[in-house]
Amino acid sequence: MIIFAFLHELKMLEKIKALQDEIKNAVVSTMEEVEELRIKYISKKGSISQLFDSFKNVSTEQKKEIGKAINDLKNFAFERINTLKEMFESTGNNDQFIDLTKPGEPFKLGTRHPLSLVKNEIISIFGRLGYAVAEGPEIEDDWHVFSALNFASEHPARDMQDTFFIEKYPDVLLRTHTSSVQIRVMERTQPPIRAIFPGRVFRNEAISARSHCIFHQIEGLYVDENVSFADMKQTLLYFAREFFGENTQIRLRPSYFPFTEPSAEMDVSCSICEGKGCNICKNSGWLEIMGCGMVDPNVLENCNIDSKKYTGFAFGMGIERIAMLRYGIKDIRHFFENDIRFLKQFESSI
Ligand code: DAH
């Protein structure tokens, strides 16, 4: 008799636990279904009332424990069913259940534009060398874009074929390069100056896969006492290795810019074929990525910086070109067309 009673109590505890789980996990989507739940569990003929009936056969020693368990279950069921009812009432629509306890849909995050990714990476590399960031206006004057940068008055870049002029030709124009920001910074700051200038530039060029009338550049400038060409080489080598990989080599080829003397073009070893030769580097093993040189003393003097005391180097690179090399993009127009299929490919990047 004692054994039977014990078994009976064990079964009751199991039943209570099973009912509790059922009620907890019940899924309902209409008010009618909530009512069905109520009838099934807490009405006069419901499962919990039946438990109270079986309770009569529980031994006196176990009555306290089992009685408490049934009461807890009953309270739990009332609470759960009332909560569900309230939810339906608060939505004001008894046909359509909205489960307000459900986790929300995740927000779809946007993507960064590949030009921003490349720009931010370049800023962070030069940031590690102590370069600050400055910006200048896109609508400029002749002085900051050409004259102060030592362009001769008959230089072809001043021509309307290359430059967009606004109003009063030849005074107000869209900057054709970010070198203009060098002048703006040097006019208001005495050395030491160590900064980079990212920005948008404009040239009156036909749009094709390789060129656009709007593009982006990053300019760099370092002016102090005793700044040498060797300092420039080492700085640019550091940049190239940080950006293109630690085995990258650089090559400086003599060139000409009015605002630097001597001037050079910098190539990096092709990161795609590792210098072996491919169609991106046109089988040369090298990719041209920027112009650079020692700031011409005339430019320093134009900004009231003593060229006997100070020397400096400058460099400038096109962000589109570098992004095209990094991501294998064959047509510059992709950057400006905002085709979602193109932009989506940069989704996981920060
Ligand atoms: N401003 C030049 C251009 O748009 C790029 C450049 C070349 C910038 C040499 C420099 C430099 O600072 O030293 O083609």
Side-chain angles (χ1 to χ4, degrees), residues 51-244:
L51 276 180
F52 278 111
D53 290 342
S54 323
F55 182 67
K56 289 174 200 137
N57 303 326
V58 170
S59 63
T60 343
E61 307 88 70
Q62 295 289 312
K63 270 215 154 66
K64 195 168 166 202
E65 187 191 347
I66 297 203
K68 181 172 180 320
I70 302 178
N71 264 322
D72 287 349
L73 174 67
K74 190 183 90 182
N75 292 339
F76 174 76
F78 267 90
E79 219 168 274
R80 171 91 175 122
I81 288 165
N82 275 339
T83 311
L84 291 171
K85 256 193 204 158
E86 276 166 23
M87 275 190 197
F88 281 108
E89 280 156 10
S90 67
T91 61
N93 178 358
N94 289 349
D95 304 328
Q96 197 58 52
F97 173 59
I98 299 171
D99 183 354
L100 299 175
T101 63
K102 253 187 170 174
E105 292 281 326
F107 281 113
K108 203 134 177 51
L109 291 179
T111 65
R112 283 211 197 280
H113 195 281
L115 293 178
S116 300
L117 294 172
V118 168
K119 181 186 79 174
N120 291 343
E121 190 173 337
I122 297 173
I123 289 175
S124 106
I125 293 171
F126 281 101
R128 297 202 280 280
L129 292 174
Y131 282 69
V133 179
E135 287 186 3
E138 293 177 345
I139 299 175
E140 265 291 6
D141 51 29
D142 177 276
W143 171 254
H144 292 93
V145 176
F146 298 126
S147 298
L149 284 161
N150 208 29
F151 278 78
S153 53
E154 71 282 7
H155 194 284
R158 292 170 181 260
D159 198 283
M160 282 177 88
Q161 299 296 312
D162 294 307
T163 305
F164 289 112
F165 289 91
I166 309 169
E167 294 172 4
K168 291 194 290 177
Y169 170 86
D171 237 16
V172 187
L173 48 93
L174 296 179
R175 66 179 177 195
T176 56
H177 54 182
T178 43
S179 305
S180 53
V181 192
Q182 282 186 32
I183 303 299
R184 292 209 169 260
V185 169
M186 286 193 284
E187 278 176 339
R188 59 170 193 253
T189 332
Q190 281 296 309
I193 299 169
R194 191 162 38 179
I196 53 170
F197 321 121
R200 195 158 56 154
V201 300
F202 308 84
R203 284 186 201 174
N204 193 0
E205 288 200 37
I207 298 172
S208 71
R210 312 190 89 239
S211 61
H212 209 287
C213 56
I214 302 176
F215 56 101
H216 299 77
Q217 290 186 330
I218 288 195
E219 186 83 10
L221 178 70
Y222 182 21
V223 185
D224 201 351
E225 289 178 44
N226 299 320
V227 176
S228 69
F229 198 87
D231 294 328
M232 182 182 83
K233 254 168 83 175
Q234 204 56 33
T235 302
L236 298 181
L237 177 64
Y238 173 80
F239 162 72
R241 293 198 166 156
E242 287 292 293
F243 192 88
F244 292 103

Side-chain angles (χ1 to χ4, degrees), residues 272-288:
I272 295 154
C273 62
E274 287 174 348
K276 290 186 202 78
C278 66
N279 63 350
I280 303 289
C281 62
K282 299 199 195 88
N283 281 320
S284 69
W286 296 95
L287 302 162
E288 182 188 319

Side-chain angles (χ1 to χ4, degrees), residues 5-16:
F6 177 68
L7 274 178
H8 174 70
E9 283 141 16
L10 205 63
K11 273 196 172 157
M12 276 193 77
L13 283 171
E14 274 172 17
K15 178 105 201 213
I16 291 168

Side-chain angles (χ1 to χ4, degrees), residues 28-43 81-82 84-85 88-89:
V28 286
S29 50
T30 60
M31 192 62 141
E32 284 73 48
E33 284 171 8
V34 180
E35 179 59 11
E36 279 164 24
L37 270 192
R38 192 192 67 76
I39 294 169
K40 184 166 173 198
Y41 295 107
I42 56 178
S43 67
I81 288 165
N82 275 339
L84 291 171
K85 256 193 204 158
F88 281 108
E89 280 156 10

